[in-house]
């Protein structure tokens, strides 16, 4: 009976995080840039295979990570929901993880795991990496100067209830205030962002259909005049 109860609770918890909207409730409550990537849909469409020869895929550090942990995003990752602000990154990754091998990898990288919460140094002092299993198939991952940053993803946030991530292959949502710092934006995007820096919210999304690829822009403005601009 006890085993059945434990299994039932585990299944219920996993089911509650089955959708992007349910994952989004765990994002930090503070404002930030939010990105969603439906990796499983990209895989089904064949677009993910195009990254096979990318620079990221060929990085020696990533190749070593795949070798030691058995985790390959091309095969094992299904969805990414990420939250960014200067100096902090929080990500919810849904997929298939070999948790014992991941813990062994952390130890090999001079990190430590306690009660399933793992911490390890990154490439620089301000890039401390931490993660833990939110469920068996969802990793809560944080990168920042604080080695406990992943704990921001542990609890559901009432302010995030009702947030509905777009049903798109890739999407990014940013408050207009985050577009005002031109130095933080890639070259080539600054003029585009300049026109929307007074917007309340900006969302870009990528969709694929029979007619090809489409990028949609959705901007929430404070006035009709600002929307026209």
């Amino acid at each position: 009976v006890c085993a059945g109860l434990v299994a039932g609770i585990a299944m219920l918890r996993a089911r509650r995080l089955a959708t992007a909207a349910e994952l989004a409730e765990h994002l930090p409550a503070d404002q930030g840039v939010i990105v969603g990537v439906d990796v499983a849909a990209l895989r089904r469409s064949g677009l993910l295979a195009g990254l096979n020869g990318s620079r990221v895929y060929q990085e020696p550090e990533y190749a070593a990570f795949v070798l030691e942990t058995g985790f390959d995003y091309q095969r094992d990752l299904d969805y990414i929901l990420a939250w960014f602000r200067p100096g902090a990154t929080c990500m919810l990754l849904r997929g298939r993880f070999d948790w014992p091998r991941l813990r062994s990898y952390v130890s090999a990288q001079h990190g430590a795991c306690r009660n399933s919460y793992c911490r390890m140094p990154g490439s620089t002092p301000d890039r401390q990496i931490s993660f833990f299993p939110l469920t068996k198939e969802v990793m809560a991952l944080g990168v920042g100067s604080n080695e406990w940053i992943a704990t921001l993803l542990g609890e559901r946030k009432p302010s995030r209830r009702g947030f509905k991530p777009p049903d798109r292959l890739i999407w990014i949502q940013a408050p207009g205030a985050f577009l005002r710092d031109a130095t933080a934006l890639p070259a080539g995007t600054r003029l585009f962002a300049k026109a929307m820096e007074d917007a309340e919210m900006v969302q870009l999304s990528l969709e694929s259909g029979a007619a090809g690829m489409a990028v949609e822009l959705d901007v929430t403005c404070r006035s009709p005049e600002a929307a026209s601009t």
Side-chain angles (χ1 to χ4, degrees), residues 26-41:
H26 286 266
L27 291 176
D30 294 340
Q31 275 199 335
V33 177
I34 302 176
V35 177
V37 183
D38 191 337
V39 184

Side-chain angles (χ1 to χ4, degrees), residues 66-177:
V66 172
L67 182 64
E68 294 185 37
T69 66
F71 180 82
D72 185 346
Y73 79 90
Q74 291 258 354
R75 177 193 65 229
D76 300 315
L77 192 59
D78 289 338
Y79 197 87
I80 303 170
L81 188 61
W83 172 94
F84 303 93
R85 66 179 306 155
T89 298
C90 290
M91 306 179 75
L92 293 163
L93 310 175
R94 189 171 65 215
R96 289 155 295 284
F97 305 97
D98 188 332
W99 296 105
R101 289 182 69 176
L102 284 167
R103 287 191 288 270
S104 296
Y105 177 77
V106 169
S107 298
Q109 299 299 314
H110 309 291
C113 293
R114 296 290 184 273
N115 296 326
S116 78
Y117 190 94
C118 296
R119 297 167 290 148
M120 57 184 285
S123 56
T124 60
D126 61 340
R127 289 182 60 82
Q128 299 297 309
I129 301 168
S130 55
F131 67 86
F132 66 94
L134 193 58
T135 70
K136 182 181 178 181
E137 296 183 346
V138 177
M139 174 189 288
L141 171 72
V143 181
S145 58
N146 182 355
E147 62 183 5
W148 301 100
I149 189 171
T151 59
L152 294 175
L153 298 164
E155 300 295 329
R156 283 186 166 92
K157 318 299 188 300
S159 61
R160 290 292 183 189
R161 289 174 185 164
F163 175 67
K164 296 182 179 179
D167 186 16
R168 296 290 186 267
L169 294 175
I170 303 171
W171 57 272
I172 178 170
Q173 188 180 95

